[in-house]
């Protein structure tokens, strides 16, 4: 209980307090009136909603009753349908069961059959495996037998080849090799008015290498049966064999060169058959010189020179000197391709060929250039090739119109009375070799200073008891190609060139025929070519003829002519080739 503060009237305080309470009472009463009003309104709404709810309940009951009836009807129809479906399923199940039984029985029967078949197959495989093992054993035995037979065959083949070469040496036969070039783009029938069937035949191969000693030619004519002809030679090269393979069979002849034998290698064949490629190597367009950089494509001439200088390098220094001459036979005239004018410029000078008292052929005033290595030789040959005459034909765009003859003359310095002691005293050998080398070079300088023209023959040493010379020659010949005028399509000056070429090749065949028949007179002088090659063809040199033929049906006639020439040349017996005699060793006193 709050006591009135001092100084205030308690009666006024209580009166104020009373007024506040009355005010709150009136507020509460007003609030009660408002709530009673709202309560009455709510009672009215509740009565209204209860009326509505009673109506809705009836409608809901009616809906429930209708829904129940509808569900009863649906259940009765679904049950009926289910009963029907169940019956049908039972029937299908019975059918499937009976089918399954049949299928199971059939599977059992088939499985038994398959099992029997598998067992039979396994048994058959076992038998086959045993048979295969037996065959493998037999195959192994046969392979061993084949290998032994092959080795024996190779040995017998080498023996046969050695005996054949010995026989060739004794008889003096001409070695004949044949090279078949591949088909080339210009082998079609362009430029000739022939039928499409003939053009198709032209593109077919007619010449094949049956083996390394046999050429097979298929000769076919319209309306006639095809006939196969074979030609046998010492060596046959197919169209896939390289320049290396060709030179490998030529190289042994070069060893004979330093043993005192003359050697001649010539290429024969129609124009466009690959003679120049075989002898020199590939030539670029517009340039007759061959490239030294393409070593794998080099021909016989550059390779032979490299081999000769390699063999010389193995000999005592200064005991060998090499000179080279390059000539062409054009329109039955001989031209010196290394001759120079007063200004030192190379140009071809006409020379003549004569027969010496000893019966040997010689070309007076022919230029001989001394070379120290293969590079100098190839440089000179390239200079000479720039002057060689060529002319395009329908068969070959760079057809050679002349015969090219490159000659290497090797001078061997040997010692007579001191020969026996020469190899016993190494110091004496070196001293004499050095003296001979200095004498040779001094005489070369003296000869050049006293005469502007080239000597007609290699510088000669004085034949003394201590020093003698032996000369051997390597002649490398690239013959011009034989031509059929109708095939090559040449006219005018080229036609005249063709006539001279064919005439000189015919003269070469006549010379070989005369030697083969051992006639008393051999017509060397019927052509400048045969006169120039008289010593080599006549038996003073080991001669190798490299036949070059085209494989196409288009050139069948020309190929047969070349093969016939090679066959006749192979039958020529010239007698044993003579060796240049070295002084016999004598004992020092």
């Amino acid at each position: 209980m709050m006591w009135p503060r001092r100084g205030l009237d308690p009666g006024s305080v209580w009166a104020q307090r009373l007024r506040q309470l009355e005010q709150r009472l009136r507020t509460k009463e007003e609030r009660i009136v408002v709530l009673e009003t709202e309560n009455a309104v709510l009672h009215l709404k509740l009565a209204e909603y209860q009326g509505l709810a009673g109506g809705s309940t009836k409608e809901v009951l009616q809906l429930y009753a209708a829904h129940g009836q509808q569900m009863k009807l649906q259940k009765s129809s679904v049950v009926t349908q289910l009963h029907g479906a169940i019956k049908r399923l039972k029937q299908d199940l019975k059918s499937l069961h009976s089918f399954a039984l049949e299928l199971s029985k059939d599977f059992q029967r088939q499985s038994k059959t398959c099992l029997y078949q598998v067992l039979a197959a396994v048994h058959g495989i076992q038998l086959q495996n045993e048979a295969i093992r037996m065959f493998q054993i037999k195959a192994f035995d046969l392979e061993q037998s084949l290998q032994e037979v092959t080795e024996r065959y190779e040995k017998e083949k080498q023996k046969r080849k050695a005996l054949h070469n010995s026989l060739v040496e004794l008889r003096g036969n001409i070695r004949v090799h044949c090279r078949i070039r591949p088909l080339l783009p210009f082998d079609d029938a362009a430029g000739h008015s022939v039928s499409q069937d003939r053009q198709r035949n032209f593109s077919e191969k007619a010449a094949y290498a049956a083996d390394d000693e046999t050429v097979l030619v298929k000769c076919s004519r319209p309306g006639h049966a095809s006939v196969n002809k074979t030609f046998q030679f010492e060596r046959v090269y197919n169209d896939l064999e390289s320049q290396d393979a060709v030179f490998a069979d030529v190289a042994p002849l070069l060893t004979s060169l330093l043993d005192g034998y003359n050697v001649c290698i010539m290429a024969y064949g129609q124009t466009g058959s690959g003679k120049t490629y075989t002898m020199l190597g590939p030539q670029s367009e517009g340039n007759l010189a061959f490239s030294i950089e393409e070593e794998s494509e080099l021909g016989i001439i550059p390779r032979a020179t490299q081999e000769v200088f390699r063999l010389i390098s193995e000999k005592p220094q200064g005991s060998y000197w090499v000179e080279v001459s390059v000539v062409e036979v054009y329109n039955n005239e001989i031209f010196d391709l290394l001759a120079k004018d007063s200004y030192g410029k190379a140009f071809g000078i006409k020379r003549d060929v004569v027969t010496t008292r000893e019966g040997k052929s010689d070309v007076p005033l022919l230029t001989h250039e001394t070379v120290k290595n293969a590079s100098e030789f190839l440089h000179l040959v390239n200079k000479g090739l720039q002057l060689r005459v060529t002319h395009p034909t329908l068969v070959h765009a760079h057809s050679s119109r002349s015969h090219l003859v490159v000659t290497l003359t090797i001078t061997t310095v040997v010692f007579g009375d001191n020969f026996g002691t020469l190899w016993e005293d190494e110091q004496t050998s070196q001293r004499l070799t050095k003296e001979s080398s200095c004498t040779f070079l001094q005489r070369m300088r003296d000869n050049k200073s006293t005469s502007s023209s080239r000597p007609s023959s290699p510088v000669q040493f004085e034949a003394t008891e201590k020093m003698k010379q032996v000369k051997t020659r390597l002649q490398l010949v690239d013959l011009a190609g034989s031509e059929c005028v109708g095939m090559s399509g040449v006219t005018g000056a080229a036609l005249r060139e063709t006539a001279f070429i064919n005439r000189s090749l015919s003269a070469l065949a006549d010379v070989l025929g005369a030697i083969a028949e051992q006639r008393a007179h051999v017509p060397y002088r019927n052509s400048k070519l045969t006169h120039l090659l008289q010593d080599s063809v006549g038996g003073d040199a080991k001669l190798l003829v490299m036949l070059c033929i085209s494989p196409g049906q288009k050139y069948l006639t020309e190929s047969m002519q070349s093969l016939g020439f090679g066959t006749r040349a192979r039958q020529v017996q010239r007698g044993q080739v003579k060796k240049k005699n070295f002084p016999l060793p004598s004992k020092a006193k």
Side-chain angles (χ1 to χ4, degrees), residues 126-140:
Q126 290 176 349
L127 294 177
Q128 289 180 357
N129 287 336
E130 292 179 0
I132 289 173
R133 282 195 293 271
M134 295 297 295
F135 282 126
Q136 287 176 343
I137 294 172
K138 290 182 180 179
F140 181 74

Side-chain angles (χ1 to χ4, degrees), residues 29 85 109 174 177 179-180 200 217 261 284 288 345 352 363 404 415 438 462-463 480 494 511 516 529 532 578 580-581:
E29 288 177 351
R109 288 192 300 270
I174 299 172
H177 295 186
R179 188 179 195 184
I180 305 173
R200 194 179 305 110
V217 180
Y261 293 95
S284 58
L288 297 179
K345 184 178 180 181
D352 198 8
V363 180
L404 178 71
F415 302 95
C438 294
E462 295 180 0
V511 166
L529 174 65
L532 180 65
K578 296 179 181 179
K580 304 295 182 179
N581 291 325

Side-chain angles (χ1 to χ4, degrees), residues 254 257-258 301-302 304-326 338 367-378 380-381 406-413 437 440-441 444 448 454-455 457-459 461 469-476:
L254 304 178
L257 189 66
L258 298 186
I301 292 178
T305 309
Q306 293 172 353
E307 178 66 12
V308 167
F309 279 100
R310 187 192 68 80
L311 294 173
I312 290 177
S313 67
E314 299 175 355
K315 303 296 182 179
Q317 186 178 1
S319 59
Y320 289 86
W321 289 272
V322 181
E323 295 171 310
V324 59
S325 65
V326 182
L338 295 184
T367 303
H368 291 81
E369 293 279 1
T370 303
V371 292
K372 298 179 181 179
N373 51 53
S375 298
E376 292 183 2
F377 166 82
L378 297 178
L380 289 174
V381 173
V406 179
T407 304
L408 270 81
T409 303
I410 301 177
T411 303
T412 306
V413 178
S437 178
F440 175 81
L441 294 176
M444 284 292 294
K448 288 184 179 179
R454 295 290 176 184
S457 62
V459 176
F461 288 113
Q469 296 180 72
V470 174
K471 294 182 182 294
T472 54
R473 290 190 307 175
L474 170 62
Q475 282 190 314
L476 302 164

